[in-house]
Amino acid sequence: MGLFQQLYGWLGAWIIIFWSIIKFFLPAQKKSLAGEIVLVTGAGSGIGRLMSINFAKLGSTLVIWDINKDGADETVKQITDLGGQAHSYRCDVTKKDEVYRLAKQVKNDVGDVTILVNNAGIVAGRRFLDCPDELVERTMEVNAMSIFWTLKAFLPSMVAKNHGHLVTVASMAGTFGSPFLVEYCASKFAAVGVHEALTAELSDLEINGVQTTLVQPFFIATGMFDGVKTGDIPMLEPDYVADKVVHAVQVNQRQLCIPKIMYFIAYFKTWMPVNAYIFLAKATNSYRTMDNYTGREKKAT
Ligand SMILES: *[C@@H]1O[C@H](CO)[C@@H](O)[C@H](O)[C@H]1NC(C)=O
């Protein structure tokens, strides 16, 4: 690699860094989401539902996917009550044939999906050796494998039109490994990897009309994490997260960590020795977060 390319690369990178800092202080240009067809997986509850409602308020047509049809129908009802447009489908995103079949049906019923929000997620919330094989597989399939199938189903029409947006709702667990979350962290690291590599590939192919946004929240106070007790950093309100995600889509933000402190914690990890990082986590009680985890299912019993 020649010296000229090295200089060109570094100069360009620094210009983009300074430009990003300036942009941070300027009011962001928002793109219109009116007329977009937005598919959200796991939209029958939690932030999936809240994000869907926000997109609908901005004039998008929603495609609501959830394994729980009643939840999906309820989301559609809340959107239509607000005067928005939405269609619900029962979909098990882990079954790729079902994903492909329903994708065809969505194309016929609604049209080409232009914004894909991979949001469906589950967690076992147990010590790894207490976690049955089925739960390990289930988490990997829902949180990670399903992203491949929805991308295969909906990315081609976005690429053909050079227009679209891919949103991956991962987690800070996609950057840090934590106790009680071994299978969950594995699935979220995978989701982050898929997202990052595909973002690179779209850029390599100069498909610049297809935007990507990676979302990495800290614990959100939905039923999914009932019983979690965080320390100095409070759990996130679902409404707040949904607002942030939709805003990130409007301004084509590449990465969204919530709360902002997470950007710094992620940075520390890049240079601290592992033992220093673990010491810090233990000293701040970070590993106690999941001690009294109950989650949605266990709470019902
Ligand atoms: C979990 O519950 C036990 C028993 O109620 C309590 O003693 C402990 O402090 C709780 N742990 C956390 C991290 O809140």
Side-chain angles (χ1 to χ4, degrees), residues 203-251:
S203 182
D204 189 30
L205 293 167
E206 303 286 355
I207 301 165
N208 299 315
V210 179
Q211 296 289 328
T212 63
T213 297
L214 175 64
V215 183
Q216 293 193 270
F218 184 60
F219 290 101
I220 307 173
T222 62
M224 185 165 160
F225 285 108
D226 274 345
V228 164
K229 189 167 180 295
T230 61
D232 297 330
I233 302 167
M235 283 181 91
L236 295 161
E237 287 304 321
D239 276 314
Y240 177 74
V241 176
D243 289 351
K244 283 285 203 186
V245 174
V246 174
H247 178 264
V249 171
Q250 284 180 292
V251 300

Side-chain angles (χ1 to χ4, degrees), residues 105-122:
Q105 197 182 329
V106 166
K107 187 180 163 70
N108 287 334
D109 297 353
V110 192
D112 282 328
V113 169
T114 55
I115 301 180
L116 171 64
V117 185
N118 272 303
N119 164 75
I122 56 166

Side-chain angles (χ1 to χ4, degrees), residues 19-216:
W19 176 233
S20 303
I21 293 168
I22 293 165
K23 264 205 315 200
F24 183 81
F25 293 103
L26 298 176
Q29 287 276 352
K30 288 185 188 172
K31 68 180 178 189
S32 167
L33 298 180
E36 301 291 340
I37 298 178
V38 185
L39 186 146
V40 183
T41 65
S45 67
I47 61 163
R49 171 179 289 166
L50 297 170
M51 288 188 294
S52 300
I53 292 169
N54 284 359
F55 278 116
K57 284 180 182 163
L58 294 169
S60 304
T61 300
L62 269 295
V63 178
I64 306 298
W65 276 15
D66 205 290
I67 195 163
N68 172 3
K69 184 68 161 66
D70 291 342
D73 289 342
E74 173 58 27
T75 304
V76 168
K77 184 181 174 299
Q78 293 191 18
I79 289 171
T80 46
D81 284 353
L82 290 166
Q85 301 215 27
H87 309 257
S88 69
Y89 299 83
R90 184 196 179 277
C91 183
D92 180 346
V93 288
T94 68
K95 303 212 166 84
K96 68 178 175 185
D97 294 334
E98 191 171 324
V99 168
Y100 296 155
R101 181 175 55 77
L102 283 171
K104 284 202 191 103
Q105 197 182 329
V106 166
K107 187 180 163 70
N108 287 334
D109 297 353
V110 192
D112 282 328
V113 169
T114 55
I115 301 180
L116 171 64
V117 185
N118 272 303
N119 164 75
I122 56 166
V123 60
R126 306 188 191 186
R127 292 284 188 196
F128 176 63
L129 292 181
D130 300 330
C131 192
D133 294 353
E134 305 80 68
L135 290 190
V136 174
E137 286 170 337
R138 187 92 189 128
T139 300
M140 290 303 289
E141 279 171 11
V142 175
N143 300 5
M145 295 302 288
S146 74
I147 298 177
F148 292 128
W149 317 140
T150 56
L151 285 171
K152 288 260 172 137
F154 298 111
L155 183 56
S157 67
M158 294 187 206
V159 169
K161 296 179 196 162
N162 193 25
H163 173 80
H165 204 129
L166 304 172
V167 182
T168 305
V169 181
S171 164
M172 286 315 300
T175 297
F176 311 117
S178 298
F180 295 92
L181 292 170
V182 172
E183 102 294 343
Y184 186 75
C185 288
S187 72
K188 293 299 184 179
F189 270 70
V192 170
V194 172
H195 186 96
E196 188 174 307
L198 190 61
T199 297
E201 195 163 285
L202 289 169
S203 182
D204 189 30
L205 293 167
E206 303 286 355
I207 301 165
N208 299 315
V210 179
Q211 296 289 328
T212 63
T213 297
L214 175 64
V215 183
Q216 293 193 270

Side-chain angles (χ1 to χ4, degrees), residues 227-230 285 287-293:
V228 164
K229 189 167 180 295
T230 61
N285 276 336
Y287 291 166
R288 299 280 58 80
T289 306
M290 294 285 294
D291 275 2
N292 294 329
Y293 170 82

